[in-house]
Amino acid sequence: MALANCRRCGRLFNKTGHDVCPSCIHEEENKIAEIRDYLRQHPLANIYEVSQGTRATYEEIVDLIRRGKLLLRQYPNMTYPCERCGAPTQSGQLCMNCAQELSAEIQMGERKYSAKKPYKENRNTGFYSKE
Ligand SMILES: [Zn+2]
Ligand SMILES: [Zn+2]
């Protein structure tokens, strides 16, 4: 049995794979149901409108989308800015472009890193020389 503090309300609870307590999970499920209801009635709503029409805040809605709890394919206006470039996005932290660019950069970075290794060693040995 592992006790943990709920990530949301801070209450101690019996951790069972979640990082929020059962009452917060329940609360979140209620909010998701509210948001879905609202979107069914207002398919063209944006996140601000949904946060005004339900008990969920803007941040909570974005958080739910990022965690994949809300799927928005049918709701074109439910977008939030990409963390990198600010373009409207509907899932994850980054827009499609940035996600692609970033994974390309990571691959390049890996290549660069392995190419840089000998250079780094040279630099270390030259550390005490006057340059
Ligand atoms: Zn809680
Ligand atoms: Zn982006």
Side-chain angles (χ1 to χ4, degrees):
M1 199 159 94
L3 284 175
N5 283 97
C6 169
R7 189 169 61 87
R8 285 182 124 235
C9 68
R11 245 189 312 231
L12 266 183
F13 73 108
N14 195 354
K15 199 171 182 206
T16 51
H18 298 281
D19 50 5
V20 293
C21 71
S23 75
C24 284
I25 290 173
H26 187 69
E27 174 74 10
E28 185 175 281
E29 273 162 9
N30 283 342
K31 281 184 185 168
I32 292 171
E34 262 185 57
I35 295 166
R36 287 202 180 123
D37 271 352
Y38 187 88
L39 282 172
R40 229 170 279 140
Q41 287 159 40
H42 310 89
L44 295 177
N46 60 37
I47 297 179
Y48 286 108
E49 286 163 345
V50 175
S51 72
Q52 271 157 24
T54 65
R55 286 178 306 135
T57 64
Y58 181 91
E59 288 74 22
E60 278 173 331
I61 296 168
V62 171
D63 186 52
L64 288 171
I65 299 167
R66 284 195 177 138
R67 277 156 51 215
K69 299 265 182 180
L70 276 175
L71 292 176
L72 303 172
R73 254 161 257 157
Q74 315 97 288
Y75 307 118
N77 296 327
M78 289 289 286
T79 60
Y80 53 91
C82 161
E83 284 204 341
R84 196 157 168 263
C85 73
T89 180
Q90 286 200 308
S91 67
Q93 241 115 301
L94 302 173
C95 69
M96 290 287 273
N97 279 341
C98 286
Q100 271 171 10
E101 266 177 43
L102 218 68
S103 72
E105 259 171 42
I106 288 167
Q107 278 171 12
M108 288 219 321
E110 274 166 9
R111 239 175 284 147
K112 249 188 246 162
Y113 179 71
S114 49
K116 245 186 193 169
K117 244 184 174 172
Y119 170 74
K120 230 182 170 182
E121 278 158 24
N122 288 343
R123 215 178 150 185
N124 281 342
T125 54
F127 184 72
Y128 296 102
S129 73
K130 283 182 226 156
E131 211 183 342

